[in-house]
Amino acid sequence: MGNREMEELIPLVNRLQDAFSSLGQSCLLELPQIAVVGGQSAGKSSVLENFVGRDFLPRGSGIVTRRPLVLQLVTSKAEYAEFLHCKGRKITDFDEVRHEIEAETDRVTGMNKGISSIPINLRVYSPHVLNLTLIDLPGITKVPVGDQPPDIEYQIREMIMQFITRENCLILAVTPANTDLANSDALKLAKEVDPQGLRTIGVITKLDLMDEGTDARDILENKLLPLRRGYIGVVNRSQKDIDGKKDIKAATLAERKFFLSHPAYRHIADRMGTPHLQKVLNQQLTNHIRDTLPNFRNKLQGQLLSIEHEVEAYKNFRPEDPTRKTKALLQMVQQFAVDFEKRIEGSGDQVDTLELSGGAKINRIFHERFPFEIVKMEFNEKELRREISYAIKNIHGIRTGLFTPDMAFEAIVKKQIVKLKGPSLKSVDLVIQELINTVKKCTKKLANFPRLCEETERIVANHIREREGKTKDQVLLLIDIQVSYINTNHEDFIGFANAQQRSSQVHKKNTIGNQGTNLPPSRQIVIRKGWLTISNIGIMKGGSKGYWFVLTAESLSWYKDDEEKEKKYMLPLDNLKVRDVEKSFMSSKHIFALFNTEQRNVYKDYRFLELACDSQEDVDSWKASLLRAGVYPDKSLTENDENGQAENFSMDPQLERQVETIRNLVDSYMSIINKCIRDLIPKTIMHLMINNVKDFINSELLAQLYSSEDQNTLMEESAEQAQRRDEMLRMYQALKEALVVIGDINTSTTFTPAPPPVDDSWIQHSRSSDSFGAPPQVPSRPTRAPPSVPRFGAMKDEAAEP
């Protein structure tokens, strides 16, 4: 009785493995498996059928077993079979089991005799079996048949090795009595993975088909070609018995009678036969559990702790309790509000390290994307000068004007201000999109309740869309306010006198420059630092590699590394602009270029300085930083620049001066407007959109949910969640039960130590080309086999081989 508790643990661990498999996890519990390895027609399937006492495995010629069959035998009062892929379906007709194995094999491997390493899991409950887990593997073959691939032998070998290399796998090396044992492929594979022979048991089949006067006594007594755990002989049904539907129980009795009546085996009959083989395997299983009991207990406790927190919420779960539903709904809405605010305002817990999202992305829209869009829109120099000249001429009409008209300035400024509506509305759209993305990320925690998740997304998204109209109306109103009154008395406005004075300076003609007068006094403040690659300069000249760049309001410098000790160059920002460079299909880098508006070289002999980043986001970020330093993007294309000088307007000197004066006035006033808009638009979006959505979620979302759907409908959990809860509770119970059983196990249970090592070097030296050396000869007994061939005996009737 000492091993009774041990044997109770085996089916319990099987339940654990099923519970973990249903959750898509690995149980990680080292329950031994017993792999049945042998050549084709060695009798592997018959051995398994004898264990079960039923005909249930496919039969035929060639490779019949084409997928591993994981067979779990469980002692039970009732007798039935159950497939893992048809869970819950109890099959009592074992012919139907055979058909299901064939159908499931063909479903994965097709009809062309191909093989697959995906196992079929079959559990057989019966009062006639001991608790075991066996794996029937494809028979070892040499020659492909039908549509099998040429490397079929290699594929089968690799599949077998996947199983038998595990330390918790016992190896049943099956060899028929009519083959050369010294050349047994099964024993050779076993020797490779189990050189000490601790896991290998030899099984000799077809003993009843040996010629009269021959036997395998010395083999079964482990005297000839010994194994550490020895051999067990079994007698399977012949093909005639199978065709005649001979009952397996009758075959077992016949097997017992054979060993008791045979003069060579009667003295070892108690150690032969299928029942003894089952007991030996069950004992090995029990020994392994005893050896690994402390580690086994630790793993069970670790698994229990890993799911305990989640199971705690399920223990007192009552799906139809209205109080529970109300409490759960309130908690989830509150958690959603907290998560949303954390993503917008920023938080130290659960930080996304892969991409910008939530508040960080909105901040980037406000301070990088929006200002960059404004500058990109504003500076189209040739178009602006053309419009100014047309405005001046149209205002003067038929007369030749002597003075610069104020109305031209006002008309141009209003047109420029109206252009700000595009970038401003675009920034609202970008913020809305990010808010909706944030809502979707926050509702992932509600996924267990699909209707609640869907309604929450819909209600909050609808509110965001409602606020979109009001926010855009306010943004347009701000710009219309700026258009309604042009304040030329603003303290930062350049004034008419200064504009004229500036227009008289020839070197400022036809260029915007860097607008140095508008730069803050602290020009040496560092705006940005980072790694960039100079891509348009060869490696020999110091290019095509990364440098550490430092951008200030006055210059762009680069160093050898980020220690900033060895400065390579300092580039002044005066008269610089930035333009995009088309990405090369050979390069993964994203490139932008700096150039001088006065057609001078930027760096040494190079007109352009091309700088490369790893992503387009880095390019946009550097452009925004350069914009803060006064380096503006060039909107015109290179092709247009070639003809740009020829397209300059042919104007008289007086009109030229007037255009330049208006241009300077517009430039000065628009810098005031841009500064104001860049400050007000983010504040408007923040107030009317972001803060309002946060307040709505905190104060009104719950009420809207109650008014939109019935509470029972909202809190109806998904089928997947209900299944997961049931599986977790079942697994938790199984783990606790297993720990209780382990605690009750008597550590002084019967233990069979491993037998001493034997000289099994014959396996290693038995296969070198075709000359295997002279194997040990069978002791002198009457035999027809040549003494140089280590056969157990010849077949009575070769044609009768199953």
Side-chain angles (χ1 to χ4, degrees), residues 557-622:
S557 305
W558 56 92
Y559 299 80
K560 180 181 178 182
D561 51 42
D562 54 4
E563 293 182 1
E564 299 182 18
K565 292 181 179 179
E566 186 179 340
K567 181 184 285 190
K568 294 294 184 180
Y569 197 77
M570 185 180 77
L571 178 65
L573 299 182
D574 294 333
N575 299 319
L576 290 187
K577 277 193 177 183
V578 62
R579 72 173 4 148
D580 291 323
V581 177
E582 187 175 348
K583 181 182 174 183
S584 169
F585 74 95
M586 293 291 289
S587 172
S588 61
K589 298 281 190 178
H590 298 260
I591 305 173
F592 65 96
L594 297 173
F595 69 98
N596 192 292
T597 57
E598 296 183 345
Q599 305 298 317
R600 296 177 182 175
N601 292 340
V602 176
Y603 172 65
K604 296 185 178 179
D605 297 332
Y606 296 92
R607 286 291 181 93
F608 295 89
L609 182 66
E610 294 184 1
L611 302 174
C613 304
D614 291 330
S615 68
Q616 187 59 43
E617 282 193 1
D618 290 339
V619 171
D620 294 339
S621 185
W622 270 102

Side-chain angles (χ1 to χ4, degrees), residues 28 107 134 152 163 180 284 346 355 386 416 422 447 641 652 690-691 739 755 769:
L28 302 176
R107 186 183 66 81
L134 305 109
I152 188 70
F163 288 91
D180 184 353
Q284 295 301 323
E355 62 176 357
R386 183 184 292 111
Q416 292 296 105
D641 288 345
D652 60 82
I690 299 172
N691 288 343
L739 286 169
S769 301

